Amino acid sequence: MDNGIFNILLEYLNIVFLVFSAVLFVLYFLMAYLATRNSIHYKHKNSFGDISKTMGSPLSPGITIIAPAFNEGLTIVENVRSLLSLQYVNYEVMVVNDGSKDDTLQKLIEAYHLQRINRDIDPEIKSKPILGIYKSTQRSFSKLTVVDKMNGGKSDALNAGIYLSENKYVGCIDVDCLIQPDALLHVVKSFYQHSEKRVIAVGGVIRVANSCKISGGTLEEIRLPKNWLARFQLLEYTRSFLLGRMAWARIDSLLIISGAFGFFDREIALAVGGYDTTTVGEDMEIIFRMRRHMHDIKAPYHVAYIPDPLCWTEVPEDIKIFMNQRDRWSRGNLETLFTHKDMFFNPKYGRLGMLSYPYWFFYEWLAPILEFLGCFAVIVFFYLGILNWDFFIAITATIYSFSIMFSFYAILWEIYSYNQYSKTKDILTLMLFAIIEPIVFHPIVVWSSVRGNYKKLFKIRSGWGSQVRKGFAKA
Protein backbone atom coordinates (compact mmCIF):
# COMPACT_ATOMS: atom_id res chain seq x y z
CA MET A 1 0.00 0.00 0.00
CA ASP A 2 2.79 2.39 0.91
CA ASN A 3 4.57 1.64 -2.36
CA GLY A 4 1.36 2.29 -4.26
CA ILE A 5 0.84 5.68 -2.64
CA PHE A 6 4.49 6.53 -3.20
CA ASN A 7 4.22 5.62 -6.90
CA ILE A 8 1.10 7.76 -7.25
CA LEU A 9 2.94 10.72 -5.69
CA LEU A 10 5.80 10.21 -8.13
CA GLU A 11 3.39 10.20 -11.05
CA TYR A 12 1.79 13.43 -9.83
CA LEU A 13 5.26 14.96 -9.46
CA ASN A 14 6.05 14.01 -13.05
CA ILE A 15 2.79 15.60 -14.18
CA VAL A 16 3.61 18.82 -12.33
CA PHE A 17 7.00 19.13 -14.05
CA LEU A 18 5.49 18.19 -17.41
CA VAL A 19 2.72 20.80 -17.17
CA PHE A 20 5.15 23.43 -15.89
CA SER A 21 7.48 22.78 -18.85
CA ALA A 22 4.65 22.70 -21.38
CA VAL A 23 3.27 26.05 -20.21
CA LEU A 24 6.79 27.51 -20.33
CA PHE A 25 7.21 26.31 -23.94
CA VAL A 26 3.92 27.92 -24.95
CA LEU A 27 4.82 31.19 -23.24
CA TYR A 28 8.23 31.30 -24.92
CA PHE A 29 6.66 30.64 -28.33
CA LEU A 30 4.27 33.53 -27.68
CA MET A 31 7.19 35.71 -26.58
CA ALA A 32 9.06 35.01 -29.82
CA TYR A 33 5.94 35.80 -31.86
CA LEU A 34 5.08 39.01 -29.98
CA ALA A 35 8.68 40.22 -29.97
CA THR A 36 8.96 39.65 -33.71
CA ARG A 37 5.72 41.50 -34.39
CA ASN A 38 6.77 44.37 -32.13
CA SER A 39 10.22 44.66 -33.70
CA ILE A 40 8.79 44.73 -37.23
CA HIS A 41 6.21 47.31 -36.17
CA TYR A 42 8.87 49.46 -34.50
CA LYS A 43 11.21 49.39 -37.50
CA HIS A 44 8.37 50.19 -39.89
CA LYS A 45 7.04 53.02 -37.71
CA ASN A 46 10.47 54.57 -37.28
CA SER A 47 11.47 54.31 -40.93
CA PHE A 48 9.56 57.55 -41.59
CA GLY A 49 10.69 60.97 -40.49
CA ASP A 50 14.00 62.36 -39.34
CA ILE A 51 14.36 62.37 -35.56
CA SER A 52 17.46 64.59 -35.79
CA LYS A 53 15.14 67.56 -36.37
CA THR A 54 14.15 67.23 -32.71
CA MET A 55 17.74 67.93 -31.67
CA GLY A 56 17.79 71.59 -32.64
CA SER A 57 14.24 72.48 -31.72
CA PRO A 58 13.86 75.05 -28.90
CA LEU A 59 10.56 73.33 -28.05
CA SER A 60 12.22 70.01 -27.26
CA PRO A 61 11.47 68.85 -23.70
CA GLY A 62 14.19 69.03 -21.08
CA ILE A 63 15.91 65.84 -19.87
CA THR A 64 18.24 65.40 -16.94
CA ILE A 65 20.61 62.44 -17.15
CA ILE A 66 21.41 61.34 -13.61
CA ALA A 67 24.62 59.36 -13.23
CA PRO A 68 25.55 58.18 -9.71
CA ALA A 69 29.30 57.87 -9.17
CA PHE A 70 31.10 56.09 -6.37
CA ASN A 71 34.90 55.73 -6.56
CA GLU A 72 34.95 56.21 -10.35
CA GLY A 73 38.14 58.29 -10.39
CA LEU A 74 39.88 56.15 -13.02
CA THR A 75 37.26 56.69 -15.73
CA ILE A 76 34.95 59.50 -14.59
CA VAL A 77 36.40 62.25 -16.82
CA GLU A 78 36.08 60.20 -20.01
CA ASN A 79 32.63 58.89 -19.04
CA VAL A 80 31.29 62.42 -18.47
CA ARG A 81 32.86 63.61 -21.73
CA SER A 82 30.88 60.92 -23.54
CA LEU A 83 27.63 62.04 -21.86
CA LEU A 84 28.28 65.67 -22.81
CA SER A 85 28.55 64.73 -26.50
CA LEU A 86 24.98 63.46 -26.93
CA GLN A 87 22.99 64.81 -29.88
CA TYR A 88 20.28 66.74 -28.10
CA VAL A 89 19.82 70.43 -27.40
CA ASN A 90 17.93 70.60 -24.11
CA TYR A 91 19.54 68.24 -21.62
CA GLU A 92 21.57 68.31 -18.43
CA VAL A 93 24.13 65.81 -17.18
CA MET A 94 23.90 65.52 -13.41
CA VAL A 95 26.71 63.48 -11.88
CA VAL A 96 25.93 62.59 -8.26
CA ASN A 97 29.13 61.90 -6.36
CA ASP A 98 27.82 59.48 -3.75
CA GLY A 99 30.45 59.97 -1.05
CA SER A 100 33.36 58.66 -3.12
CA LYS A 101 36.48 57.89 -1.10
CA ASP A 102 38.84 58.37 -4.04
CA ASP A 103 39.56 61.45 -6.18
CA THR A 104 36.35 61.31 -8.27
CA LEU A 105 35.15 64.78 -7.25
CA GLN A 106 38.58 66.38 -7.52
CA LYS A 107 39.11 65.04 -11.04
CA LEU A 108 35.74 66.40 -12.12
CA ILE A 109 36.54 69.81 -10.62
CA GLU A 110 39.89 69.99 -12.41
CA ALA A 111 38.81 68.58 -15.77
CA TYR A 112 35.63 70.62 -16.13
CA HIS A 113 36.59 73.78 -14.21
CA LEU A 114 33.86 73.36 -11.65
CA GLN A 115 32.94 75.92 -9.06
CA ARG A 116 30.62 75.51 -6.12
CA ILE A 117 27.36 77.43 -6.48
CA ASN A 118 24.74 78.61 -4.02
CA ARG A 119 21.40 76.92 -4.49
CA ASP A 120 18.47 76.48 -2.17
CA ILE A 121 17.98 72.80 -1.37
CA ASP A 122 14.63 71.50 -0.21
CA PRO A 123 15.17 69.99 3.27
CA GLU A 124 12.48 67.41 2.42
CA ILE A 125 14.65 65.76 -0.22
CA LYS A 126 14.62 62.01 0.44
CA SER A 127 18.35 61.38 0.30
CA LYS A 128 21.47 61.60 2.40
CA PRO A 129 22.67 65.17 3.07
CA ILE A 130 23.93 67.11 0.05
CA LEU A 131 27.34 68.65 0.65
CA GLY A 132 27.59 70.88 -2.40
CA ILE A 133 26.52 71.57 -5.99
CA TYR A 134 29.03 72.48 -8.68
CA LYS A 135 28.77 74.08 -12.14
CA SER A 136 31.48 74.77 -14.71
CA THR A 137 32.88 78.23 -15.29
CA GLN A 138 33.26 77.38 -18.98
CA ARG A 139 30.33 77.70 -21.36
CA SER A 140 31.27 74.53 -23.25
CA PHE A 141 30.49 72.51 -20.09
CA SER A 142 27.32 74.37 -19.16
CA LYS A 143 25.23 71.19 -19.40
CA LEU A 144 27.18 69.60 -16.54
CA THR A 145 26.06 69.71 -12.91
CA VAL A 146 27.92 67.82 -10.19
CA VAL A 147 26.22 67.04 -6.89
CA ASP A 148 28.39 66.03 -3.94
CA LYS A 149 26.59 64.15 -1.16
CA MET A 150 27.14 61.74 1.66
CA ASN A 151 27.16 58.07 0.71
CA GLY A 152 23.72 56.47 0.60
CA GLY A 153 23.91 53.98 -2.26
CA LYS A 154 22.79 54.08 -5.88
CA SER A 155 19.07 54.49 -5.19
CA ASP A 156 19.71 57.32 -2.74
CA ALA A 157 21.95 59.10 -5.26
CA LEU A 158 19.32 58.76 -7.98
CA ASN A 159 16.66 60.17 -5.66
CA ALA A 160 18.84 63.20 -4.98
CA GLY A 161 19.16 63.76 -8.71
CA ILE A 162 15.43 63.37 -9.35
CA TYR A 163 14.56 65.91 -6.65
CA LEU A 164 17.21 68.41 -7.79
CA SER A 165 16.32 68.15 -11.47
CA GLU A 166 14.07 70.83 -12.93
CA ASN A 167 13.37 69.09 -16.25
CA LYS A 168 10.26 67.20 -17.33
CA TYR A 169 12.08 63.90 -17.80
CA VAL A 170 14.93 62.22 -15.96
CA GLY A 171 17.23 59.47 -17.18
CA CYS A 172 18.78 57.15 -14.61
CA ILE A 173 21.93 55.49 -15.91
CA ASP A 174 25.19 53.90 -14.82
CA VAL A 175 27.98 56.44 -15.19
CA ASP A 176 30.27 53.89 -16.84
CA CYS A 177 27.77 52.96 -19.56
CA LEU A 178 28.41 54.03 -23.12
CA ILE A 179 25.33 55.73 -24.57
CA GLN A 180 24.97 56.20 -28.31
CA PRO A 181 25.00 59.88 -29.43
CA ASP A 182 21.42 59.79 -30.76
CA ALA A 183 19.97 57.94 -27.75
CA LEU A 184 18.06 60.93 -26.34
CA LEU A 185 16.39 61.52 -29.70
CA HIS A 186 14.90 58.02 -29.59
CA VAL A 187 13.90 58.47 -25.96
CA VAL A 188 12.07 61.75 -26.58
CA LYS A 189 10.30 60.29 -29.59
CA SER A 190 9.12 57.37 -27.45
CA PHE A 191 7.69 59.74 -24.83
CA TYR A 192 5.59 61.50 -27.47
CA GLN A 193 4.46 58.64 -29.73
CA HIS A 194 1.39 57.79 -27.62
CA SER A 195 -0.89 60.82 -27.74
CA GLU A 196 -3.80 58.95 -26.12
CA LYS A 197 -1.73 57.67 -23.19
CA ARG A 198 0.83 59.23 -20.89
CA VAL A 199 4.21 57.56 -21.30
CA ILE A 200 5.59 57.29 -17.76
CA ALA A 201 8.83 55.42 -18.50
CA VAL A 202 11.07 54.42 -21.39
CA GLY A 203 13.56 51.55 -21.32
CA GLY A 204 15.90 50.09 -23.87
CA VAL A 205 18.21 47.29 -24.90
CA ILE A 206 21.46 46.89 -22.99
CA ARG A 207 24.33 45.59 -25.11
CA VAL A 208 27.50 43.90 -23.88
CA ALA A 209 30.54 46.12 -24.40
CA ASN A 210 33.27 43.75 -23.18
CA SER A 211 36.20 43.71 -25.66
CA CYS A 212 34.61 46.48 -27.78
CA LYS A 213 36.91 49.23 -29.02
CA ILE A 214 36.13 52.80 -27.97
CA SER A 215 37.99 56.07 -28.25
CA GLY A 216 37.09 59.33 -26.54
CA GLY A 217 33.79 57.95 -25.35
CA THR A 218 32.77 56.81 -28.87
CA LEU A 219 32.13 53.21 -29.88
CA GLU A 220 34.44 52.53 -32.82
CA GLU A 221 34.20 48.77 -33.24
CA ILE A 222 31.81 46.15 -31.92
CA ARG A 223 33.63 42.98 -30.96
CA LEU A 224 32.55 39.66 -29.56
CA PRO A 225 33.69 39.33 -25.93
CA LYS A 226 36.85 37.27 -25.48
CA ASN A 227 35.88 36.08 -22.02
CA TRP A 228 33.74 32.91 -21.89
CA LEU A 229 31.47 34.20 -19.14
CA ALA A 230 30.84 37.48 -20.98
CA ARG A 231 29.89 35.52 -24.12
CA PHE A 232 27.26 33.58 -22.24
CA GLN A 233 25.87 36.85 -20.86
CA LEU A 234 25.80 38.34 -24.35
CA LEU A 235 23.65 35.41 -25.46
CA GLU A 236 21.44 35.80 -22.40
CA TYR A 237 21.05 39.56 -22.93
CA THR A 238 20.13 39.01 -26.58
CA ARG A 239 17.30 36.67 -25.58
CA SER A 240 16.15 38.78 -22.67
CA PHE A 241 16.16 42.24 -24.25
CA LEU A 242 15.47 41.48 -27.90
CA LEU A 243 12.78 38.85 -27.32
CA GLY A 244 11.58 38.75 -23.70
CA ARG A 245 11.18 42.43 -22.88
CA MET A 246 10.18 43.27 -26.42
CA ALA A 247 7.30 40.80 -26.12
CA TRP A 248 6.09 42.24 -22.80
CA ALA A 249 6.29 45.73 -24.25
CA ARG A 250 4.08 44.60 -27.14
CA ILE A 251 1.20 43.94 -24.74
CA ASP A 252 2.15 46.89 -22.51
CA SER A 253 3.00 44.67 -19.54
CA LEU A 254 6.70 45.36 -19.04
CA LEU A 255 7.61 45.16 -15.35
CA ILE A 256 11.27 46.11 -15.37
CA ILE A 257 13.47 48.76 -16.93
CA SER A 258 17.20 48.23 -16.59
CA GLY A 259 18.94 50.49 -14.11
CA ALA A 260 21.68 51.08 -16.66
CA PHE A 261 19.33 52.88 -19.08
CA GLY A 262 15.94 54.03 -17.84
CA PHE A 263 14.04 57.28 -18.42
CA PHE A 264 11.04 58.49 -16.41
CA ASP A 265 8.37 61.12 -16.29
CA ARG A 266 9.74 63.08 -13.33
CA GLU A 267 6.33 64.08 -12.03
CA ILE A 268 5.19 60.46 -11.73
CA ALA A 269 8.53 59.34 -10.30
CA LEU A 270 8.19 61.98 -7.57
CA ALA A 271 4.53 61.07 -6.99
CA VAL A 272 5.56 57.55 -5.96
CA GLY A 273 8.46 58.77 -3.80
CA GLY A 274 11.34 57.97 -6.13
CA TYR A 275 13.46 54.87 -5.71
CA ASP A 276 13.10 52.55 -2.75
CA THR A 277 16.43 52.66 -0.91
CA THR A 278 15.65 49.54 1.15
CA THR A 279 15.72 47.08 -1.77
CA VAL A 280 18.49 45.83 -4.03
CA GLY A 281 16.02 45.54 -6.92
CA GLU A 282 15.21 49.25 -7.17
CA ASP A 283 14.95 49.33 -10.99
CA MET A 284 12.14 46.78 -10.98
CA GLU A 285 10.42 48.05 -7.84
CA ILE A 286 9.97 51.62 -9.08
CA ILE A 287 8.19 50.38 -12.22
CA PHE A 288 5.81 48.37 -10.05
CA ARG A 289 4.97 51.47 -8.00
CA MET A 290 4.62 53.78 -10.99
CA ARG A 291 2.29 51.33 -12.72
CA ARG A 292 0.26 50.83 -9.55
CA HIS A 293 -0.03 54.58 -9.12
CA MET A 294 -1.43 55.04 -12.62
CA HIS A 295 -3.90 52.19 -12.07
CA ASP A 296 -4.98 53.63 -8.73
CA ILE A 297 -5.71 57.07 -10.19
CA LYS A 298 -7.29 55.41 -13.26
CA ALA A 299 -5.13 57.31 -15.73
CA PRO A 300 -4.25 55.78 -19.13
CA TYR A 301 -0.51 55.23 -19.37
CA HIS A 302 2.20 53.36 -21.23
CA VAL A 303 5.71 52.04 -20.52
CA ALA A 304 7.71 52.26 -23.76
CA TYR A 305 10.61 50.13 -24.87
CA ILE A 306 13.29 50.89 -27.47
CA PRO A 307 14.92 47.89 -29.23
CA ASP A 308 17.65 49.98 -30.86
CA PRO A 309 21.15 49.32 -29.43
CA LEU A 310 21.52 52.64 -27.58
CA CYS A 311 23.40 51.63 -24.42
CA TRP A 312 26.49 49.48 -23.96
CA THR A 313 27.78 48.22 -20.63
CA GLU A 314 30.50 45.98 -19.29
CA VAL A 315 29.33 42.69 -17.75
CA PRO A 316 31.21 40.69 -15.09
CA GLU A 317 34.01 38.44 -16.30
CA ASP A 318 34.81 37.04 -12.88
CA ILE A 319 32.65 34.09 -11.79
CA LYS A 320 32.44 35.23 -8.16
CA ILE A 321 31.36 38.76 -9.09
CA PHE A 322 28.84 37.36 -11.57
CA MET A 323 27.30 35.04 -8.98
CA ASN A 324 27.05 37.91 -6.50
CA GLN A 325 25.25 39.96 -9.15
CA ARG A 326 22.70 37.22 -9.85
CA ASP A 327 22.36 36.55 -6.14
CA ARG A 328 21.45 40.23 -5.73
CA TRP A 329 18.98 40.14 -8.62
CA SER A 330 17.12 37.20 -7.13
CA ARG A 331 16.89 38.94 -3.75
CA GLY A 332 15.55 42.03 -5.50
CA ASN A 333 12.93 39.95 -7.33
CA LEU A 334 11.74 38.37 -4.11
CA GLU A 335 11.62 41.69 -2.26
CA THR A 336 9.57 43.34 -5.00
CA LEU A 337 7.18 40.43 -5.44
CA PHE A 338 6.58 40.25 -1.70
CA THR A 339 6.08 44.01 -1.37
CA HIS A 340 3.44 44.00 -4.10
CA LYS A 341 1.92 40.59 -3.35
CA ASP A 342 -1.62 42.02 -3.34
CA MET A 343 -1.32 42.36 -7.13
CA PHE A 344 -1.13 38.58 -7.57
CA PHE A 345 -4.09 37.60 -9.82
CA ASN A 346 -5.78 40.85 -8.89
CA PRO A 347 -8.09 41.93 -11.77
CA LYS A 348 -7.94 45.52 -10.49
CA TYR A 349 -4.53 45.81 -12.16
CA GLY A 350 -5.59 44.27 -15.47
CA ARG A 351 -2.87 42.45 -17.40
CA LEU A 352 -0.38 43.58 -14.79
CA GLY A 353 -2.08 41.57 -12.05
CA MET A 354 -3.48 38.72 -14.14
CA LEU A 355 -0.54 38.05 -16.46
CA SER A 356 2.71 39.92 -15.77
CA TYR A 357 2.92 39.39 -12.02
CA PRO A 358 1.96 35.65 -12.17
CA TYR A 359 4.50 35.07 -14.92
CA TRP A 360 7.22 36.80 -12.94
CA PHE A 361 6.26 34.82 -9.85
CA PHE A 362 6.18 31.37 -11.46
CA TYR A 363 8.78 31.62 -14.21
CA GLU A 364 11.25 34.27 -13.09
CA TRP A 365 11.32 33.68 -9.35
CA LEU A 366 9.99 30.15 -8.77
CA ALA A 367 11.44 28.38 -11.83
CA PRO A 368 15.10 28.34 -10.62
CA ILE A 369 13.98 26.93 -7.27
CA LEU A 370 11.96 24.18 -8.97
CA GLU A 371 14.90 23.38 -11.24
CA PHE A 372 17.18 23.03 -8.25
CA LEU A 373 14.69 20.82 -6.39
CA GLY A 374 14.15 18.81 -9.56
CA CYS A 375 17.88 18.11 -9.90
CA PHE A 376 18.01 17.16 -6.23
CA ALA A 377 15.01 14.84 -6.70
CA VAL A 378 16.64 13.14 -9.69
CA ILE A 379 19.73 12.36 -7.62
CA VAL A 380 17.62 10.98 -4.77
CA PHE A 381 15.41 8.90 -7.10
CA PHE A 382 18.48 7.53 -8.85
CA TYR A 383 20.00 6.55 -5.52
CA LEU A 384 16.74 4.86 -4.46
CA GLY A 385 16.46 3.10 -7.81
CA ILE A 386 13.01 4.57 -8.60
CA LEU A 387 13.99 7.04 -11.33
CA ASN A 388 11.68 6.85 -14.36
CA TRP A 389 14.38 6.86 -17.01
CA ASP A 390 12.06 7.09 -20.00
CA PHE A 391 10.33 10.20 -18.64
CA PHE A 392 13.60 11.75 -17.43
CA ILE A 393 15.39 11.34 -20.76
CA ALA A 394 12.36 12.51 -22.76
CA ILE A 395 11.71 15.70 -20.82
CA THR A 396 15.43 16.54 -20.50
CA ALA A 397 15.98 16.16 -24.24
CA THR A 398 12.88 18.24 -24.98
CA ILE A 399 13.87 21.08 -22.67
CA TYR A 400 17.46 21.04 -23.91
CA SER A 401 16.38 21.12 -27.58
CA PHE A 402 13.86 23.88 -26.93
CA SER A 403 16.40 26.07 -25.12
CA ILE A 404 18.85 25.74 -28.02
CA MET A 405 16.12 26.50 -30.55
CA PHE A 406 15.05 29.62 -28.66
CA SER A 407 18.65 30.85 -28.41
CA PHE A 408 19.23 30.20 -32.11
CA TYR A 409 16.12 32.20 -32.94
CA ALA A 410 17.34 35.11 -30.79
CA ILE A 411 20.72 35.07 -32.56
CA LEU A 412 19.17 34.91 -36.03
CA TRP A 413 16.66 37.63 -35.22
CA GLU A 414 19.46 39.88 -33.98
CA ILE A 415 21.26 39.30 -37.29
CA TYR A 416 18.14 40.17 -39.25
CA SER A 417 17.18 43.22 -37.21
CA TYR A 418 20.43 44.94 -36.16
CA ASN A 419 23.30 42.69 -37.27
CA GLN A 420 25.72 43.89 -34.60
CA TYR A 421 27.91 40.81 -35.00
CA SER A 422 28.24 40.36 -38.74
CA LYS A 423 31.27 38.07 -38.88
CA THR A 424 30.45 34.43 -39.66
CA LYS A 425 32.93 33.32 -37.02
CA ASP A 426 31.15 35.36 -34.34
CA ILE A 427 27.75 33.94 -35.30
CA LEU A 428 29.03 30.37 -35.17
CA THR A 429 30.71 31.06 -31.84
CA LEU A 430 27.45 32.33 -30.35
CA MET A 431 25.62 29.26 -31.65
CA LEU A 432 28.24 27.00 -30.10
CA PHE A 433 27.79 28.77 -26.78
CA ALA A 434 24.02 28.38 -27.15
CA ILE A 435 24.52 24.61 -27.44
CA ILE A 436 26.63 24.32 -24.29
CA GLU A 437 24.84 27.04 -22.28
CA PRO A 438 22.26 24.72 -20.64
CA ILE A 439 25.10 22.53 -19.36
CA VAL A 440 27.74 25.12 -18.41
CA PHE A 441 26.16 28.53 -17.78
CA HIS A 442 22.57 27.86 -16.76
CA PRO A 443 23.45 25.79 -13.66
CA ILE A 444 25.53 28.71 -12.38
CA VAL A 445 22.57 31.06 -12.83
CA VAL A 446 20.21 28.63 -11.07
CA TRP A 447 22.55 28.13 -8.13
CA SER A 448 23.10 31.89 -7.76
CA SER A 449 19.35 32.45 -7.72
CA VAL A 450 18.79 29.73 -5.12
CA ARG A 451 21.56 31.18 -2.98
CA GLY A 452 20.04 34.65 -3.20
CA ASN A 453 16.61 33.38 -2.19
CA TYR A 454 18.13 31.44 0.69
CA LYS A 455 19.88 34.59 1.95
CA LYS A 456 16.70 36.63 1.70
CA LEU A 457 14.36 34.06 3.24
CA PHE A 458 16.70 33.38 6.15
CA LYS A 459 17.63 37.07 6.51
CA ILE A 460 21.34 36.64 5.91
CA ARG A 461 22.80 40.11 5.49
CA SER A 462 24.20 40.76 2.03
CA GLY A 463 24.51 44.09 0.24
CA TRP A 464 25.16 45.16 -3.31
CA GLY A 465 28.71 43.91 -3.56
CA SER A 466 30.95 45.46 -6.18
CA GLN A 467 31.99 44.88 -9.76
CA VAL A 468 35.57 45.50 -10.77
CA ARG A 469 35.40 46.79 -14.34
CA LYS A 470 38.31 46.35 -16.70
CA GLY A 471 37.30 49.09 -19.11
CA PHE A 472 36.81 49.00 -22.86
CA ALA A 473 39.52 48.08 -25.34
CA LYS A 474 41.46 51.05 -26.62
CA ALA A 475 42.97 49.42 -29.67
Side-chain angles (χ1 to χ4, degrees):
M1 182 66 179
D2 291 340
N3 287 337
I5 295 175
F6 188 67
N7 288 331
I8 292 174
L9 291 175
L10 288 179
E11 289 301 320
Y12 273 112
L13 186 62
N14 289 338
I15 292 173
V16 168
F17 277 99
L18 182 62
V19 171
F20 189 86
S21 300
V23 173
L24 183 63
F25 292 166
V26 172
L27 289 174
Y28 271 49
F29 271 121
L30 286 174
M31 276 189 186
Y33 170 75
L34 291 172
T36 303
R37 286 288 303 273
N38 202 17
S39 295
I40 293 174
H41 175 71
Y42 178 86
K43 290 177 73 70
H44 177 73
K45 181 173 63 176
N46 288 276
S47 63
F48 303 99
D50 182 10
I51 62 174
S52 64
K53 293 179 180 179
T54 309
M55 179 182 65
S57 172
L59 300 178
S60 57
I63 299 179
T64 298
I65 300 177
I66 306 168
F70 177 72
N71 292 347
E72 301 281 353
L74 290 175
T75 58
I76 190 65
V77 173
E78 183 174 301
N79 291 335
V80 171
R81 185 182 298 119
S82 175
L83 292 175
L84 291 173
S85 64
L86 298 179
Q87 298 173 0
Y88 194 73
V89 63
N90 191 13
Y91 80 100
E92 171 190 24
V93 175
M94 183 178 291
V95 178
V96 183
N97 180 45
D98 190 40
S100 296
K101 299 177 181 178
D102 64 356
D103 57 352
T104 297
L105 180 61
Q106 189 59 35
K107 282 193 172 181
L108 285 170
I109 291 174
E110 294 174 358
Y112 297 104
H113 307 279
L114 300 179
Q115 193 173 70
R116 187 166 179 168
I117 63 171
N118 293 321
R119 175 175 170 180
D120 292 333
I121 299 175
D122 188 346
E124 300 300 320
I125 288 182
K126 296 179 180 179
S127 74
K128 295 290 185 179
I130 294 171
L131 305 177
I133 300 177
Y134 298 81
K135 294 287 292 184
S136 178
T137 57
Q138 294 191 1
R139 186 176 180 183
S140 55
F141 303 133
S142 60
K143 293 183 183 295
L144 176 63
T145 300
V146 174
V147 178
D148 185 33
K149 61 180 287 293
M150 294 182 64
N151 180 260
K154 181 181 178 181
S155 299
D156 189 78
L158 289 172
N159 282 341
I162 293 173
Y163 279 93
L164 289 172
S165 170
E166 297 178 348
N167 286 317
K168 185 174 183 179
Y169 301 112
V170 291
C172 300
I173 68 167
D174 289 340
V175 71
D176 47 14
C177 282
L178 177 65
I179 298 179
Q180 294 292 80
D182 62 347
L184 294 186
L185 303 178
H186 290 275
V187 169
V188 170
K189 188 174 183 179
S190 296
F191 271 114
Y192 282 88
Q193 278 183 332
H194 292 264
S195 58
E196 73 286 359
K197 293 182 178 181
R198 182 172 185 172
V199 177
I200 63 171
V202 175
V205 171
I206 306 298
R207 295 284 184 165
V208 175
N210 298 54
S211 301
C212 288
K213 178 184 176 183
I214 71 165
S215 178
T218 302
L219 182 66
E220 291 190 345
E221 183 182 351
I222 298 172
R223 298 171 178 172
L224 194 70
K226 297 177 181 179
N227 178 268
W228 67 275
L229 189 58
R231 288 181 176 180
F232 279 125
Q233 291 172 83
L234 167 59
L235 183 62
E236 183 188 39
Y237 277 37
T238 302
R239 284 196 311 266
S240 175
F241 287 100
L242 206 57
L243 294 183
R245 297 190 186 182
M246 197 68 181
W248 288 112
R250 175 69 177 180
I251 58 175
D252 198 9
S253 300
L254 190 63
L255 281 179
I256 184 171
I257 285 180
S258 175
F261 186 82
F263 289 78
F264 305 94
D265 184 315
R266 178 174 175 267
E267 182 183 356
I268 305 301
L270 287 175
V272 300
Y275 283 92
D276 183 355
T277 59
T278 64
T279 179
V280 294
E282 77 288 338
D283 49 356
M284 179 180 178
E285 202 279 333
I286 192 173
I287 296 299
F288 265 81
R289 277 187 291 117
M290 291 178 73
R291 279 187 171 276
R292 290 191 65 152
H293 173 76
M294 299 303 286
H295 275 281
D296 291 340
I297 65 175
K298 295 180 171 55
Y301 74 97
H302 179 67
V303 175
Y305 185 75
I306 306 172
D308 292 308
L310 301 178
C311 179
W312 297 75
T313 189
E314 189 178 356
V315 298
E317 295 186 352
D318 179 85
I319 187 68
K320 183 178 180 180
I321 295 174
F322 170 77
M323 291 179 68
N324 287 338
Q325 179 197 64
R326 298 311 169 92
D327 173 318
R328 184 176 70 246
W329 288 5
S330 66
R331 284 183 281 125
N333 285 344
L334 181 55
E335 287 172 349
T336 301
L337 289 171
F338 181 78
T339 300
H340 301 278
K341 58 184 180 296
D342 59 315
M343 296 174 62
F344 193 35
F345 284 118
N346 188 341
K348 172 185 175 181
Y349 297 101
R351 281 179 299 221
L352 198 63
M354 301 302 291
L355 183 61
S356 300
Y357 188 106
Y359 172 83
W360 207 272
F361 178 86
F362 287 113
Y363 291 100
E364 292 292 340
W365 174 69
L366 189 60
I369 298 175
L370 287 179
E371 286 187 58
F372 177 78
L373 294 177
C375 291
F376 181 75
V378 167
I379 295 172
V380 172
F381 292 169
F382 174 76
Y383 178 77
L384 296 176
I386 57 174
L387 181 64
N388 186 333
W389 282 103
D390 291 337
F391 178 80
F392 172 71
I393 293 173
I395 195 170
T396 301
T398 302
I399 294 173
Y400 177 72
S401 301
F402 182 84
S403 66
I404 294 175
M405 180 186 68
F406 195 73
S407 293
F408 277 11
Y409 183 78
I411 294 170
L412 295 174
W413 185 249
E414 199 285 329
I415 296 170
Y416 173 78
S417 57
Y418 295 101
N419 198 26
Q420 298 292 305
Y421 303 94
S422 56
K423 296 179 181 178
T424 303
K425 180 182 177 181
D426 292 345
I427 306 292
L428 294 176
T429 300
L430 284 175
M431 288 185 166
L432 173 62
F433 272 71
I435 293 173
I436 63 175
E437 181 193 24
I439 304 169
V440 178
F441 179 72
H442 189 66
I444 300 173
V445 175
V446 171
W447 172 247
S448 302
S449 178
V450 171
R451 189 180 72 172
N453 279 284
Y454 175 81
K455 287 181 179 179
K456 184 61 184 176
L457 291 172
F458 290 92
K459 299 181 180 179
I460 299 175
R461 290 182 61 85
S462 186
W464 266 87
S466 60
Q467 177 177 337
V468 180
R469 300 184 186 273
K470 296 183 177 180
F472 305 124
K474 303 295 181 182

